[in-house]
Amino acid sequence: MQEIKQQFKVEIANKKKQRTIAVLLLLVVILLTFNMLRDSDTLITHNQANALYAKNTITQVIVDGDFIRLLTEEEGYKIYKGAINKTAFYQKYPVQVRSDNTYLYDIFVLLLCILGFVFIYRMIQKNKREQQEQQEKRASMLKIEEASKIQTVEALTSTVTFADVAGIHDVKEELEEIIDFLREPKRYHDLGIRLPKGVLLVGPPGVGKTLISKAVAGEANVPFFYQSGASFVHIYVGMGAKRVSELFQKAKQMAPSIIFIDEIDAVGKSRGGMRNDEREATLNQLLTEMDGFEDSAGVIVIGATNKIEMLDDALLRAGRFDRRIHIDLPDLADRVKILELYLLNKPNMVNIEEVAQMTIGFSAAALDTLTNEAALYAMKAQGPMIETSDFEAVKDKVLLGKRKLRPLNQEEREIQAVYQGAKALVSTWLAVEFDKISMLNTQVLIQEQEIVSKSKLLSYIKVYLAGSLATKKRYKEQFTNGAKDIAQAKEILGKLVVEYAMGDNFLVTSKQEEIFLRESVSEVNTLLETLDEALTEVVAHLLKYENITEDECRDILRKIF
Ligand code: ADP
């Protein structure tokens, strides 16, 4: 630090010196130019010239273009050539004709001046550039210093347990095994059981990906290493990779332990498109580290992301993040549990069920903020307890990032229920497997298979069309909520015709896509007629529970058919 300050002082002194020289040079040039351009001779009349002639004070006569210049000891005068009797002057006084040489001399001086200007200008520019470079260098030195100060890899001790995580029961269950492994890695090793090295938590912000990872560390009582993906790539070239290896080294030393990488997509973005050498170096280092340790080392890497589709395939390959756990926005039942947790130690008379009903689309983090706002509101109103009305009063205020969170109103809820319900029913009917379809999300509809039949692809298309066709049928109107699914349907359709050449006689024509699309639309419309009664039941189920499983759909169908 001292060194940087010293350097800074020297630079300021240098800068001052250079500036003084530049100003002096500029002054000289200005004076020279002024002198050259100055025409100091006074213009006189015929009579005045004659008076001078008579006085005998003229020392020199100069013929200068259209003028005759008359110089005396003290001063210079000039007069138009035609205005005097030149011969008389020429005879009496020494005459000099101003030749082109004198002009050349003037031009030479002028050129010198211009050169002087250019030289000074360039010097100033150079000076500025050097200053800028030095400033950047200084800033980077400070940044490196800071980076090395803040960013040293440190283990945290987590005090979070599963009791602090409300809802997401499935996720907890999936992670139990990992906790058990972290408690006794040797036992697993002795039995020759391999566990994943990496777990990827996929879900929108604020659903508890970080919280649950901390809870895993807390439950297993192991050190927790937190790093955000962005922090790897925002620092210096080469530093990201270095940090990754440092992180793994420490985690291995303190094993069993957990490495948590938040927003792993910042490092693991698929490498197509724009290249970023720093990110690539960091990603390669991460892959190397993950391949490098035995699963018996007792280090579990948990990555969190909102955008799994953007991740590089290499990260998802076997032996890396090969276990994926999806965490959705909480459904009604989970929202109840989360609100219960948040209101546990706050005096309240809140109808939690009602608040949960009106907060569809809220993440746990948003519910946290909402509860806090409601408590503040109650306090300002001097109420002894928080009430449901306090939640109602503040719910339009809660923000998620920059976006205001606005829950769906009753009409939107119904439209969405018809939309998602139709997808669930058509999927079940056409035997397109799915796990759970919720009001807001469709979970992993397409199974990853090596060989897929044409009829299966057409079924996928029909499922993606089902929502929009059902709402169109019920409301005689079209809505914007189908945009993503329609795009999916079109994408599959395009692949079916172009990539897989499944059109008539393997021909690729745009007409072919239209034929398939028309057939699918008409089939789904017929199917929706048949399923109308079932759809009403599914919609009721969705409005009540916010999601429906394949089994539940099958039960409803079995009852009716
Ligand atoms: P993510 O990592 O998915 O963005 P976080 O784990 O950082 O979300 O959650 C942000 C905050 O939201 C947490 O500090 C916690 O207060 C709250 N939260 C999230 N999920 C839950 C949950 N399941 N139960 C209780 N609180 C939660």
Side-chain angles (χ1 to χ4, degrees):
M1 219 44 206
Q2 200 58 34
E3 212 176 277
I4 295 175
K5 272 188 197 154
Q6 193 59 36
Q7 199 187 342
F8 198 46
K9 271 188 199 157
V10 173
E11 268 167 35
I12 289 179
N14 275 347
K15 214 172 80 184
K16 269 190 183 161
K17 214 191 284 170
Q18 279 173 351
R19 200 181 287 165
T20 323
I21 294 174
V23 169
L24 282 178
L25 259 173
L26 197 68
L27 268 177
V28 170
V29 169
I30 289 172
L31 278 176
L32 263 176
T33 321
F34 181 70
N35 198 38
M36 202 194 81
L37 295 176
R38 192 172 61 126
D39 188 357
S40 57
D41 296 348
T42 325
L43 191 64
I44 51 172
T45 61
H46 171 77
N47 285 344
Q48 287 169 314
N50 281 346
L52 280 175
Y53 180 86
K55 263 202 241 164
N56 285 337
T57 48
I58 295 171
T59 52
Q60 174 107 52
V61 176
I62 302 170
V63 184
D64 186 354
D66 282 344
F67 290 94
I68 304 278
R69 299 168 68 175
L70 307 170
L71 307 183
T72 67
E73 287 287 341
E74 296 89 26
E75 271 198 81
Y77 303 95
K78 64 178 178 181
I79 184 162
Y80 281 111
K81 234 183 196 172
I84 52 165
N85 179 359
K86 287 173 290 197
T87 349
F89 279 85
Y90 295 167
Q91 279 167 0
K92 192 170 175 186
Y93 299 111
V95 181
Q96 189 196 335
V97 178
R98 191 174 168 140
S99 70
D100 281 349
N101 281 346
T102 4
Y103 287 113
L104 274 180
Y105 173 75
D106 282 353
I107 290 170
F108 177 69
V109 173
L110 194 70
L111 267 177
L112 260 184
C113 289
I114 293 173
L115 275 176
F117 267 125
V118 172
F119 174 71
I120 290 169
Y121 178 76
R122 291 185 65 166
M123 218 171 84
I124 292 173
Q125 288 302 89
K126 196 177 151 212
N127 203 6
K128 258 194 199 161
R129 250 196 331 268
E130 276 175 5
Q131 253 175 274
Q132 219 169 8
E133 274 167 20
Q134 238 139 19
Q135 251 173 14
E136 275 164 21
K137 225 159 118 195
R138 238 188 349 262
S140 65
M141 273 166 83
L142 284 176
K143 223 163 138 191
I144 290 182
E145 246 193 13
E146 242 154 62
S148 54
K149 235 188 269 164
I150 303 168
Q151 304 257 339
T152 38
V153 179
E154 296 257 356
L156 305 174
T157 312
S158 168
T159 50
V160 180
T161 67
F162 272 178
D164 302 308
V165 186
I168 50 174
H169 187 255
D170 305 352
V171 180
K172 286 187 194 168
E173 240 175 37
E174 284 214 46
L175 291 169
E176 283 289 356
E177 188 187 44
I178 306 252
I179 294 170
D180 198 47
F181 164 75
L182 287 169
R183 281 188 186 137
E184 287 178 279
K186 198 175 167 302
R187 197 162 61 97
Y188 280 76
H189 187 230
D190 291 347
L191 288 170
I193 301 170
R194 282 194 302 136
L195 268 174
K197 294 175 186 171
V199 178
L200 199 60
L201 298 179
V202 186
V207 293
K209 299 185 290 295
T210 314
L211 189 73
I212 192 95
S213 306
K214 280 188 185 157
V216 171
E219 291 281 342
N221 199 16
V222 299
F224 180 78
F225 291 89
Y226 175 94
Q227 282 288 317
S228 93
S231 78
F232 284 133
V233 274
H234 282 171
I235 37 179
Y236 267 77
V237 179
M239 289 274 275
K242 197 166 151 247
R243 173 111 329 120
V244 171
S245 67
E246 206 179 310
L247 178 66
F248 275 81
Q249 201 185 343
K250 285 225 174 145
K252 274 188 268 184
Q253 276 168 7
M254 296 179 72
S257 60
I258 287 181
I259 293 178
F260 178 75
I261 305 176
D262 203 2
E263 291 171 34
I264 194 166
D265 40 281
V267 184
K269 243 182 233 161
S270 62
R271 284 174 270 195
M274 233 171 60
R275 284 172 65 90
N276 175 335
D277 289 344
E278 173 59 356
R279 196 181 58 219
E280 218 159 285
T282 311
L283 173 61
N284 284 335
Q285 188 63 37
L286 182 63
L287 296 174
T288 313
E289 294 288 350
M290 287 195 76
D291 292 342
F293 69 81
E294 291 297 312
D295 43 4
S296 58
V299 178
I300 295 273
V301 190
I302 303 181
T305 181
N306 185 17
K307 313 171 191 135
I308 190 171
E309 68 284 352
M310 291 189 43
L311 283 189
D312 198 303
D313 280 344
L315 266 181
L316 304 173
R317 234 166 263 153
R320 291 158 184 176
F321 289 97
D322 45 9
R323 184 165 305 179
R324 270 154 261 172
I325 302 177
H326 288 264
I327 310 184
D328 268 335
L329 287 173
D331 61 10
L332 184 71
D334 274 359
R335 288 202 302 278
V336 168
K337 286 183 201 139
I338 293 164
L339 285 165
E340 272 168 3
L341 179 76
Y342 291 158
L343 285 168
L344 198 62
N345 295 318
K346 296 188 175 81
N348 75 88
M349 289 173 17
V350 176
N351 181 338
I352 290 183
E353 186 79 27
E354 211 175 299
V355 176
Q357 289 276 5
M358 68 190 183
T359 46
I360 178 166
F362 276 55
S363 66
L367 288 174
D368 191 7
T369 315
L370 179 74
T371 311
N372 207 43
E373 289 283 339
L376 268 176
Y377 189 84
M379 194 184 75
K380 276 190 204 142
Q382 310 263 312
M385 290 204 179
I386 311 170
E387 294 180 26
T388 314
S389 59
D390 296 320
F391 277 87
E392 262 157 15
V394 297
K395 88 169 191 270
D396 292 336
K397 255 176 69 181
V398 175
L399 300 171
L400 182 74
K402 285 198 181 105
R403 195 167 58 92
K404 224 178 193 172
L405 256 187
R406 194 187 60 80
L408 300 179
N409 63 31
Q410 189 55 31
E411 194 192 350
E412 287 168 326
R413 275 170 61 102
E414 275 165 24
I415 293 169
Q416 189 63 12
V418 171
Y419 186 94
Q420 294 291 75
K423 266 163 69 183
L425 266 182
V426 171
S427 293
T428 314
W429 191 270
L430 296 175
V432 171
E433 281 174 40
F434 68 94
D435 181 23
K436 194 155 76 172
I437 287 185
S438 78
M439 282 287 273
L440 300 173
N441 199 7
T442 310
Q443 235 180 45
V444 218
L445 258 177
I446 295 187
Q447 303 292 315
E448 284 161 19
Q449 270 175 310
E450 284 297 326
I451 301 179
V452 185
S453 67
K454 176 177 169 184
S455 43
K456 192 88 185 175
L457 289 175
L458 285 170
S459 295
Y460 289 146
I461 295 174
K462 286 171 202 159
V463 171
Y464 281 123
L465 295 174
S468 292
L469 291 173
T471 46
K472 193 174 170 191
K473 183 164 170 285
R474 280 229 172 166
Y475 298 94
K476 309 271 175 289
E477 178 59 291
Q478 285 172 296
F479 303 98
T480 51
N481 59 340
K484 258 194 192 162
D485 285 346
I486 300 292
Q488 285 270 18
K490 281 189 186 160
E491 196 187 321
I492 301 174
L493 188 64
K495 275 194 182 167
L496 188 132
V497 174
V498 180
E499 195 173 319
Y500 308 130
M502 288 172 174
D504 287 341
N505 297 320
F506 309 108
L507 284 178
V508 178
T509 60
S510 55
K511 191 105 183 103
Q512 189 62 61
E513 286 189 21
E514 202 185 319
I515 294 171
F516 283 138
L517 195 59
R518 274 185 199 288
E519 280 173 5
S520 304
V521 168
S522 116
E523 249 179 73
V524 175
N525 275 330
T526 319
L527 193 54
L528 285 171
E529 292 286 343
T530 319
L531 297 175
D532 198 48
E533 194 187 333
L535 183 58
T536 308
E537 283 209 27
V538 171
V539 168
H541 183 105
L542 271 174
L543 284 173
K544 190 161 175 200
Y545 301 105
E546 289 180 13
N547 53 44
I548 191 158
T549 62
E550 199 178 340
D551 286 343
E552 285 162 339
C553 273
R554 216 172 283 130
D555 285 346
I556 291 175
L557 285 173
R558 219 173 274 138
K559 237 179 21 193
I560 295 174
F561 295 97

